[in-house]
Amino acid sequence: MLKRARTVCLLRPQDVQPSQDDMQVVGVFNPGVTEFAGQVHLLVRVAETPREQREGMIGLPRWDGEGREGGRIVTDWFAADRVDYLDPRVVRLRDTGALRLTYTSHLLLARSRAGDRIDEVTRTRFVPQSAYETYGVEDPRITRIGDVYYFTYVAVSPHGVATALGSTTDFVQFRRHGIIFCPDNKDVVLFPQKIAGSYAALHRPNPRMLFTSAQMWMARSGDALRWGQHEFFYSGEGGWESGRVGAGTPPLLTDRGYVAIYHGNWRPADGGDVGTYCAGAMLLDAENPRKILGRTTAPIMRPQTPFECDGFIPNVVFPTGVVDRGDALLVYYGAADTVTAMVQWRWDELLAAL
Ligand code: MAN
């Protein structure tokens, strides 16, 4: 495994105020990251659960925005014995068979000058608004294209788990461009420039397909809004990638090609458990990024530190953001679905491992 030059835990749930008084923050993780105006900007996923507890009941949160601005979180209460836990995050309601999340997420902006500590947790929040976001918005990935900072994010609702696109030029006002990949699809990252005339994205369609395990696909677009020309990209090679694979950080162009950090999941056969999430790296051809030139066969990162091994979902490292610091690569990730952390690698060592 690649040697980590440095690992820092940047943000914990107790560092963040809940979005409303009756909620509590249980996770601040999976951040979208970019440099803007000389500072590292992080759009952090904030997961909240209702503060109130009721005997024999479970409270499941959802956003009551009905597409309006200024929506808020309401809690639906169910008898605990009418609900089956699929894992700590997801329950099935016995009466309807519907799935619900035990928490709900929105995005919060934090800033860092040096990239290795948070200097400011702002009050800027990107909260669910549309009917496709009722159960939350999650896991943003930021790609700068020209002067526009695009971010893909997961939109969760009774319609399924889709990926939507947002954008900003100032990190004050945010535009919504709607759903770009329909349910179920997540782990969408945009490449930072046009390649052979079109934009490219990696995406991960439904992980429960009949004929295959989870696979990463590549799509193209003329305008970064309308996506098509879908092609298979990568399906993992067993072992630490046997449960799931998905894109992690937006690809970075180097003189050897695009470097992309991705995640793989190993899931125990007996189910129930979420399994272990590790990270790997890929080198992609600059002219034809569907061509994988190199790949770290062993994970470059697996859960090791206490905050990666213990938390809401133990044993998860989930890279979502990247900053290029010349001789070093800063990779931002969610650990144990609870905290935001940063790992630093030396470029020369990472490239040698590819
Ligand atoms: C999975 C996990 C969760 C997420 C839901 C909905 O269960 O990735 O983190 O909340 O999907 O997207």
Side-chain angles (χ1 to χ4, degrees), residues 135-168:
Y135 299 156
V137 292
E138 308 176 341
D139 304 352
R141 267 78 166 211
I142 307 175
T143 298
R144 177 182 172 180
I145 300 179
D147 293 332
V148 182
Y149 296 81
Y150 286 97
F151 56 100
T152 68
Y153 61 94
V154 178
V156 193
S157 76
H159 301 291
V161 177
T163 293
L165 186 69
S167 70
T168 184

Side-chain angles (χ1 to χ4, degrees), residues 22-23 49-52 54 58-62 73-77 100:
D22 56 347
M23 300 298 289
T49 59
R51 214 181 267 285
E52 188 186 342
R54 292 187 193 170
I58 177 174
L60 301 174
R62 81 184 141 84
I73 304 170
V74 294
T75 299
D76 301 320
W77 292 94
R100 289 285 299 262

Side-chain angles (χ1 to χ4, degrees), residues 39 66 75 97 113 126 152 181 185 195 206 208 215 219 222 231 268 277 287 312 336:
Q39 292 195 70
E66 283 156 12
T75 299
R113 279 184 293 275
F126 180 87
T152 68
F181 290 95
N185 202 320
I195 305 160
N206 188 349
R208 289 177 294 275
Q215 301 188 333
E231 289 175 286
Y277 277 81
E287 254 87 71
F312 189 59

Side-chain angles (χ1 to χ4, degrees), residues 1-269:
M1 205 168 17
L2 200 63
K3 209 168 99 259
R4 304 182 187 192
R6 212 172 152 204
T7 305
V8 201
C9 183
L10 298 176
L11 204 61
R12 297 176 184 271
Q14 57 267 33
D15 302 328
V16 168
Q17 292 298 317
S19 64
Q20 46 191 71
D21 291 343
D22 56 347
M23 300 298 289
Q24 60 192 358
V25 175
V26 295
V28 286
F29 56 113
N30 301 0
V33 182
T34 191
E35 284 182 286
F36 171 72
Q39 292 195 70
V40 174
H41 282 55
L42 300 94
L43 275 179
V44 181
R45 169 179 173 188
V46 178
E48 298 175 291
T49 59
R51 214 181 267 285
E52 188 186 342
Q53 308 259 345
R54 292 187 193 170
E55 185 74 36
M57 308 279 278
I58 177 174
L60 301 174
R62 81 184 141 84
W63 287 79
D64 186 17
E66 283 156 12
R68 284 179 284 111
E69 248 181 271
R72 48 181 287 118
I73 304 170
V74 294
T75 299
D76 301 320
W77 292 94
F78 298 89
D81 61 3
R82 304 301 304 155
V83 158
D84 295 316
Y85 274 83
L86 303 192
D87 66 43
R89 308 165 294 195
V90 189
V91 295
R92 176 174 282 120
L93 309 180
R94 287 198 187 167
D95 295 340
T96 57
L99 297 194
R100 289 285 299 262
L101 291 174
T102 57
Y103 53 35
T104 183
S105 302
H106 65 276
L107 313 181
L108 177 66
L109 179 67
R111 294 195 183 95
S112 165
R113 279 184 293 275
D116 60 356
R117 48 168 286 183
I118 299 294
D119 298 302
E120 186 196 0
V121 176
T122 73
R123 299 165 75 94
T124 304
R125 297 184 193 258
F126 180 87
V127 303
Q129 261 179 30
S130 83
Y132 303 113
E133 301 175 353
T134 316
Y135 299 156
V137 292
E138 308 176 341
D139 304 352
R141 267 78 166 211
I142 307 175
T143 298
R144 177 182 172 180
I145 300 179
D147 293 332
V148 182
Y149 296 81
Y150 286 97
F151 56 100
T152 68
Y153 61 94
V154 178
V156 193
S157 76
H159 301 291
V161 177
T163 293
L165 186 69
S167 70
T168 184
T169 52
D170 55 11
F171 286 88
V172 178
Q173 307 278 357
F174 297 92
R175 273 187 71 185
R176 291 172 129 85
H177 303 279
I179 303 293
I180 53 169
F181 290 95
C182 68
D184 276 10
N185 202 320
K186 65 206 288 191
D187 298 324
V188 178
V189 299
L190 309 189
F191 285 71
Q193 50 270 119
K194 280 191 169 170
I195 305 160
S198 31
Y199 292 108
L202 297 177
H203 62 106
R204 211 280 315 274
N206 188 349
R208 289 177 294 275
M209 290 173 289
L210 285 178
F211 295 96
T212 174
S213 60
Q215 301 188 333
M216 291 159 73
W217 282 57
M218 185 174 281
R220 313 285 177 138
S221 170
D223 59 6
L225 303 177
R226 283 160 288 226
W227 293 89
Q229 286 174 264
H230 301 280
E231 289 175 286
F232 166 74
F233 175 68
Y234 181 67
S235 65
E237 306 211 321
W240 68 279
E241 306 174 310
S242 57
R244 285 176 178 189
V245 283
T249 64
L252 261 184
L253 188 58
T254 71
D255 51 15
R256 287 183 48 196
Y258 284 101
V259 171
I261 315 285
Y262 69 105
H263 66 259
N265 160 265
W266 179 83
R267 199 183 280 253

